[in-house]
């Protein structure tokens, strides 16, 4: 007010006009905002209807998937008598002490349950997943994806942040179930209409998953208990499992005397090591690792890549690794799955993927260092991008060959 007092009539009038203009602009802005929100809401509702329709249209397939799965289950129950006979033969003449009896009963119980082969290819058929369905935050993270992750191979899943990598891999061990289609793991099937995963223990034992943020995975009061929790919970002998802890600690490069320490006092990288040891302890056929080397120093990263590689080549474990580190992908992957906006947009060996510059540009991912060099050389007239190389030595050989060709 005091300011206004000092103004002459003309200035006052000018100020009032300016205020009116500002108010009109603000109202216009609010109107635009409301219009934008309305449009967004309309789009969201349309998308929601589309998703609901896709799910509804898939219901007929679900019936068939269920039927097929029940057939496999039935088939696996055919040889129950034979399995029981074998166990009885094994225990014939053995003194039935209390602990033997306990073990025997456990085996008989298991023999009566269906068995599955989780080792075969993992096939995603039209899998999709929507977070916070029906809410304003609804987000379709997987959008009708088809892809096969082969048995016994190292497969890397790459793509920009938010492309659906973590969502996809969590379908492999039933942490999530897709809302359409199915995930086939060997001869086991998780179809969208699955209500309860009865074989969840077998599935989790065979397909061990290390989360992107493994700190959420550790919850016991000692590291030893954390590492052995998975196997014991899934039916392994307690004593035998605890005995393996020092070896597992060594494997992930942690001192053996850490066994009795609390996992909560560890650094991020060390927690990751414990989580990985816990998954290796389960001794399943598949290890699924979501950004396993976050928080580790370069040497630690390198060591883990070697460990995963050796587990694959020496113990025939299937490794599925989500990573943003393309050097690691080039170093160890047999196959690369490229995700973009909830879909798989490309799949191939690392050489096919990294020599495809357009693809890398689409997913906004920088090539591995060796390929960066190769692209630079290409600009200078030496094209080795179609050669296959994983190491500096192989790259040098490719350059030599390219120069000799010239
Ligand atoms: N719990 C959730 N609630 C809502 N949206 C989610 C949730 N989890 C993931 N999303 C969304 O789904 C999309 C895919 O997420 P996802 O975690 O699979 O991506 P990502 O490829 O693993 O990404 P990053 O490389 O960052 O780990 C992202 O846009 C993400 O924001
Ligand atoms: Mg992720």
């Amino acid at each position: 007010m005091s300011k206004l007092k000092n103004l002459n009539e003309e200035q006052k009038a000018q100020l009032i006009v300016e205020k009116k203009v500002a108010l009109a602009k603000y109202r216009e802005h609010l109107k635009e905002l409301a219009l934008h929100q309305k449009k967004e809401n309309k789009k969201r509702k349309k998308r929601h209807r589309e998703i609901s329709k896709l799910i509804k249209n898939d219901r007929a397939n679900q019936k068939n998937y269920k039927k097929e799965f029940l057939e496999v289950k039935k088939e696996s129950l055919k040889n129950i008598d034979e399995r029981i006979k074998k166990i009885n033969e094994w225990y014939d003449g053995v003194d039935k002490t209390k602990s033997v009896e306990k073990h025997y009963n456990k085996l008989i119980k298991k023999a009566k349950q269906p068995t599955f082969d989780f080792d075969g290819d993992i096939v995603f058929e039209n899998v999709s997943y929507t977070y916070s369905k029906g809410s304003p935050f609804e987000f379709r993270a997987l959008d009708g994806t088809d892809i096969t992750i082969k048995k016994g191979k190292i497969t890397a899943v790459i793509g920009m942040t938010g492309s659906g990598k973590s969502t996809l891999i969590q379908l492999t061990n039933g942490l999530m179930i897709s809302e359409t289609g199915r995930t086939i793991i060997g001869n086991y099937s998780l179809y969208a209409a699955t209500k309860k995963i009865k074989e969840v223990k077998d599935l989790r034992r065979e397909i061990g998953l290390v989360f992107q943020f493994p700190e959420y995975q550790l919850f016991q009061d000692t590291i030893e208990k954390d590492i052995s929790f998975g196997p014991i919970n899934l039916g392994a002998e307690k004593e035998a499992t605890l005995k393996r802890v020092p070896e597992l600690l060594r494997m992930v490069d942690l001192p053996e005397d850490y066994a009795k320490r609390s996992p909560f006092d560890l650094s991020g990288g060390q927690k990751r090591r414990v989580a990985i040891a816990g998954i290796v302890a389960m001794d399943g056929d598949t290890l699924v690792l979501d950004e396993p080397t976050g928080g580790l120093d370069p040497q630690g990263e390198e060591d883990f890549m070697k460990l995963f590689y050796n587990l694959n080549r020496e113990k025939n474990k299937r490794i599925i690794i989500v990573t943003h580190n393309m050097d690691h992908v080039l170093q160890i992957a047999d196959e690369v799955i490229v995700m973009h906006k909830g879909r798989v947009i490309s799949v191939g060996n690392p050489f096919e993927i990294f020599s495809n510059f357009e693809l890398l540009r689409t997913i906004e991912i920088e090539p591995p260092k060796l390929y960066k060099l190769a692209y630079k050389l290409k600009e200078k007239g030496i094209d080795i991008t179609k050669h296959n190389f994983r190491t500096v030595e192989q790259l040098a050989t490719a350059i030599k060959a390219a120069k000799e060709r010239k």
Side-chain angles (χ1 to χ4, degrees):
M1 271 318 259
S2 59
K3 262 191 186 171
L4 270 179
K5 259 187 194 167
N6 300 331
L7 300 177
N8 62 32
E9 284 310 309
E10 199 181 329
Q11 283 169 325
K12 275 184 192 165
Q14 173 74 17
L15 202 66
I16 290 168
V17 170
E18 275 173 15
K19 273 191 174 168
K20 274 188 179 163
V21 169
L23 193 65
K25 265 192 187 162
Y26 178 61
R27 285 196 176 129
E28 191 59 30
H29 172 69
L30 285 184
K31 239 189 197 165
E32 271 174 22
L33 209 65
L35 206 68
H36 176 73
Q37 267 173 356
K38 213 170 152 187
K39 267 190 197 161
E40 283 299 309
N41 271 345
K42 225 170 147 183
K43 259 200 242 165
R44 190 169 54 78
K45 278 185 184 150
K46 187 169 169 242
R47 190 76 188 121
H48 182 75
R49 279 198 301 275
E50 280 169 7
I51 294 171
S52 304
K53 203 167 151 195
L54 285 170
I55 294 174
K56 203 172 151 202
N57 289 347
D58 188 52
R59 278 197 198 133
N61 297 332
Q62 292 301 323
K63 280 193 185 144
N64 290 333
Y65 297 157
K66 186 172 179 182
K67 226 164 102 187
E68 277 179 35
F69 180 58
L70 291 178
E71 279 301 314
V72 175
K73 216 168 179 169
K74 213 166 116 191
E75 194 62 31
S76 96
L77 289 171
K78 265 189 180 162
N79 56 358
I80 282 188
D81 292 344
E82 212 175 296
R83 295 204 293 248
I84 292 178
K85 201 173 140 208
K86 261 193 192 156
I87 296 168
N88 282 333
E89 274 169 14
W90 177 260
Y91 278 90
D92 195 23
V94 177
D95 206 8
K96 284 240 169 96
T97 61
K98 236 182 182 176
S99 83
V100 170
E101 178 104 23
K102 201 173 147 198
H103 203 68
Y104 170 83
N105 289 339
K106 213 167 151 185
L107 285 178
I108 292 289
K109 195 176 159 200
K110 183 116 188 63
K112 288 180 181 169
Q113 285 161 1
T115 53
F116 296 94
D117 165 27
F118 299 100
D119 185 25
D121 289 353
I122 297 178
V123 183
F124 298 104
E125 267 181 32
N126 186 29
V127 292
S128 45
Y129 197 85
T130 308
Y131 287 104
S132 313
K133 202 151 47 200
S135 87
F137 306 104
E138 179 172 290
F139 190 87
R140 190 152 168 93
L142 280 180
D143 201 4
T145 294
D146 296 293
I147 190 71
T148 298
I149 301 184
K150 292 182 194 134
K151 65 180 283 185
K153 298 258 183 231
I154 301 181
T155 299
V157 184
I158 66 168
M160 62 171 77
T161 177
S163 55
K165 305 179 295 295
S166 296
T167 312
L168 180 78
I169 58 153
Q170 287 183 68
L171 300 179
T172 56
N173 79 345
L175 266 176
M176 288 181 176
I177 298 178
S178 63
E179 59 197 20
T180 56
R182 61 177 163 176
T183 308
I184 303 166
I185 304 121
N187 70 352
Y188 188 74
S189 170
L190 282 170
Y191 47 95
T194 304
K195 296 227 164 53
K196 186 170 183 274
I197 310 173
K198 292 210 180 97
E199 297 75 17
V200 72
K201 283 193 173 182
D202 295 330
L203 185 59
R204 302 261 160 95
R205 184 172 45 234
E206 292 304 330
I207 305 201
L209 196 145
V210 179
F211 292 122
Q212 186 164 6
F213 305 104
E215 25 287 28
Y216 303 133
Q217 213 161 341
L218 309 175
F219 51 87
Q220 299 289 320
D221 56 353
T222 66
I223 290 173
E224 174 182 68
K225 279 192 203 161
D226 244 316
I227 293 177
S228 51
F229 174 80
I232 292 171
N233 185 39
L234 301 177
E237 288 282 331
K238 192 174 170 187
E239 272 184 25
T241 308
L242 286 174
K243 255 196 194 146
R244 284 192 62 204
V245 169
E247 172 206 334
L248 287 157
L249 282 169
R250 271 201 307 278
M251 188 185 269
V252 296
D253 226 356
L254 285 174
E256 279 176 37
D257 61 6
Y258 269 38
K260 302 280 182 213
R261 283 174 62 163
S262 159
F264 301 104
D265 301 333
L266 300 177
S267 73
Q270 287 172 325
K271 279 182 186 152
R272 219 163 264 270
R273 289 170 193 271
V274 173
I276 292 171
I279 295 301
V280 175
M282 299 218 278
D283 216 13
D285 285 316
T286 302
L287 267 73
V288 186
L289 308 145
D290 197 348
E291 295 280 350
T293 59
L296 295 181
D297 55 88
Q299 188 56 49
E301 289 191 317
E302 206 57 31
D303 291 345
F304 269 111
M305 286 310 123
K306 275 192 199 133
L307 173 67
F308 302 144
Y309 185 82
N310 290 342
L311 284 169
N312 172 260
R313 295 302 197 259
E314 285 162 20
K315 302 209 166 147
N316 204 26
K317 309 268 181 212
R318 166 175 33 209
I319 308 283
I320 303 170
I321 180 169
V322 175
T323 179
H324 286 279
N325 188 321
M326 295 307 120
D327 294 323
H328 291 162
V329 175
L330 180 62
Q331 200 181 341
I332 66 166
D334 297 308
E335 193 125 84
V336 185
I337 292 174
V338 184
M339 299 215 50
H340 191 59
K341 296 185 179 168
R343 282 175 178 265
V344 171
I345 59 162
S346 191
V347 54
N349 65 41
F351 318 115
E352 288 162 334
I353 300 299
F354 293 134
S355 61
N356 186 344
F357 194 73
E358 273 311 306
L359 175 69
L360 297 181
R361 199 154 57 187
T362 306
I363 57 171
E364 293 174 27
I365 279 183
E366 293 225 345
K369 286 191 197 81
L370 294 187
Y371 270 82
K372 269 192 198 164
L373 183 61
Y375 283 118
K376 267 272 172 276
L377 286 168
K378 193 177 173 187
E379 282 173 24
K380 310 274 180 208
I382 303 172
D383 189 2
I384 55 160
T385 54
K386 295 287 177 280
H387 285 250
N388 295 353
F389 48 84
R390 288 188 198 262
T391 62
V392 175
E393 286 74 22
Q394 290 167 352
L395 177 106
T397 310
I399 296 174
K400 192 163 173 257
K403 280 180 96 175
E404 279 166 6
R405 261 204 321 272
K406 264 191 148 188

